[in-house]
């Protein structure tokens, strides 16, 4: 059964450094998402992406964040200058359709900012 | 405002018993609801979904009930097994947008 994959599983970085989190969505999906989950808190929406552009973003997704689909398979989240409060699990998800279609989540990348 | 909340942060059940996990939502316009299971160190795993034009949907050992009158969603797990131990999240979709709004989660512990 196809699944969403993410790399790395754990990323440790120094405050102020740039990180790129990578995702390979399910191959026939057209909609891609990033969510994050701070330890002990709920999963929060960051951004959705369709047709090579951002469809929607939350207030969390400020100018430090960017997303890209550099080729036909990868979907990346870049944080330009990490802050301590960016430490969280970051989940990629993909779906075939819009908001009423199921989103399938990857295993997540744990980002630790020191 | 929009919010999805869970009544019980932790639910302990005996193996073989049925489990009921509840969720309240506040956006009466939400049109799609999903239950996810999250095991330690893993991403949310889809369990079952329901659209707002339905009030009940059954899967394998799971049933989701939707009561739009009181804006309540529940997940029933029949014959709970040790492998069901996880955190369960409900989520709703904001109509006309692409994002899921998640609740805080309920931890289900299955006692042998």
């Amino acid at each position: 059964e196809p699944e969403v994959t993410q790399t790395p599983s754990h990323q440790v970085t120094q405050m102020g450094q740039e990180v790129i989190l990578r995702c390979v969505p399910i191959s026939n999906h057209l909609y891609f998402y990033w969510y994050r989950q701070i330890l002990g808190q709920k999963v929060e929406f960051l951004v959705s992406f369709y047709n090579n552009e951002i469809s929607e973003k939350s207030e969390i997704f400020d100018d430090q964040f960017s997303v890209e689909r550099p080729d036909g398979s990868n979907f990346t989240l870049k944080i330009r200058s990490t802050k301590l409060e960016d430490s969280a699990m970051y989940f990629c998800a993909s779906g075939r359709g819009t908001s009423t279609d199921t989103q399938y989540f990857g295993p997540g990348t744990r980002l630790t900012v020191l | 405002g929009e919010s999805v909340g869970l009544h019980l942060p932790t639910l302990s059940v005996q193996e073989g018993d049925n489990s009921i996990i509840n969720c309240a939502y506040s956006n009466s316009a939400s049109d799609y609801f999903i239950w996810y299971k999250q095991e330690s160190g893993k991403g949310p795993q889809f369990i079952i979904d329901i659209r707002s034009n339905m009030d009940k949907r059954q899967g394998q050992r799971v049933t989701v009930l939707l009561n739009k009158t009181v804006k309540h969603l529940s997940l029933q797990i029949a014959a709970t097994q040790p492998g069901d131990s996880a955190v369960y999240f409900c989520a709703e979709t904001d109509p006309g947008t692409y994002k899921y709004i998640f609740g805080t989660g309920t931890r289900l512990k299955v006692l042998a």
Side-chain angles (χ1 to χ4, degrees):
Chain A
E1 186 174 318
E3 57 185 19
V4 178
T5 59
Q6 291 185 243
T7 55
S9 57
H10 191 188
Q11 175 85 48
V12 181
T13 189
Q14 295 290 326
M15 189 170 56
Q17 295 297 304
E18 175 183 286
V19 294
I20 298 176
L21 310 182
R22 291 182 165 79
C23 169
V24 178
I26 295 173
S27 62
N28 63 346
H29 287 181
L30 302 176
Y31 293 81
F32 314 112
Y33 310 84
W34 284 101
Y35 291 79
R36 80 171 185 189
Q37 185 179 30
I38 295 171
L39 185 64
Q41 298 186 24
K42 64 176 74 173
V43 177
E44 301 173 287
F45 170 82
L46 292 178
V47 66
S48 61
F49 190 86
Y50 170 71
N51 199 26
N52 284 320
E53 61 182 26
I54 291 174
S55 306
E56 186 174 6
K57 59 184 180 180
S58 71
E59 58 191 23
I60 303 169
F61 194 88
D62 60 22
D63 292 343
Q64 294 298 314
F65 291 88
S66 63
V67 289
E68 191 178 29
R69 188 157 164 80
D71 52 45
S73 60
N74 290 284
F75 179 52
T76 62
L77 175 69
K78 181 191 290 185
I79 309 175
R80 264 180 273 280
S81 178
T82 50
K83 304 186 286 290
L84 296 176
E85 54 265 37
D86 293 327
S87 295
M89 283 289 288
Y90 287 82
F91 295 108
C92 173
S94 69
R96 282 187 293 262
T98 57
S99 59
T100 55
D101 204 1
T102 306
Q103 295 177 21
Y104 294 90
F105 284 73
T109 293
R110 179 171 298 283
L111 176 65
T112 302
V113 182
L114 302 176
Chain B
E2 53 188 27
S3 65
V4 177
L6 293 169
H7 298 303
L8 299 174
T10 303
L11 176 66
S12 297
V13 297
Q14 287 294 134
E15 181 179 355
D17 287 352
N18 297 335
S19 303
I20 300 176
I21 300 172
N22 297 302
C23 175
Y25 64 95
S26 61
N27 187 355
S28 57
S30 291
D31 57 1
Y32 181 60
F33 305 88
I34 317 96
W35 281 101
Y36 283 93
K37 172 186 180 182
Q38 187 176 27
E39 296 174 282
S40 181
K42 297 183 179 180
Q45 176 187 357
F46 171 83
I47 301 173
I48 193 168
D49 59 358
I50 189 168
R51 299 188 188 279
S52 59
N53 61 352
M54 303 172 69
D55 53 21
K56 181 179 180 179
R57 189 158 189 234
Q58 287 185 288
Q60 187 176 16
R61 280 203 307 119
V62 294
T63 301
V64 55
L65 299 177
L66 175 63
N67 186 332
K68 294 184 289 296
T69 302
V70 295
K71 290 182 285 188
H72 185 266
L73 191 69
S74 69
L75 176 70
Q76 300 178 2
I77 304 173
T80 312
Q81 302 170 359
D84 295 327
S85 293
V87 176
Y88 289 81
F89 295 94
C90 63
E92 62 180 311
T93 59
D94 199 349
T97 78
Y98 300 90
K99 64 183 180 183
Y100 283 1
I101 301 165
F102 281 85
T104 53
T106 293
R107 181 174 300 281
L108 176 65
K109 291 185 177 180
V110 181
L111 308 174

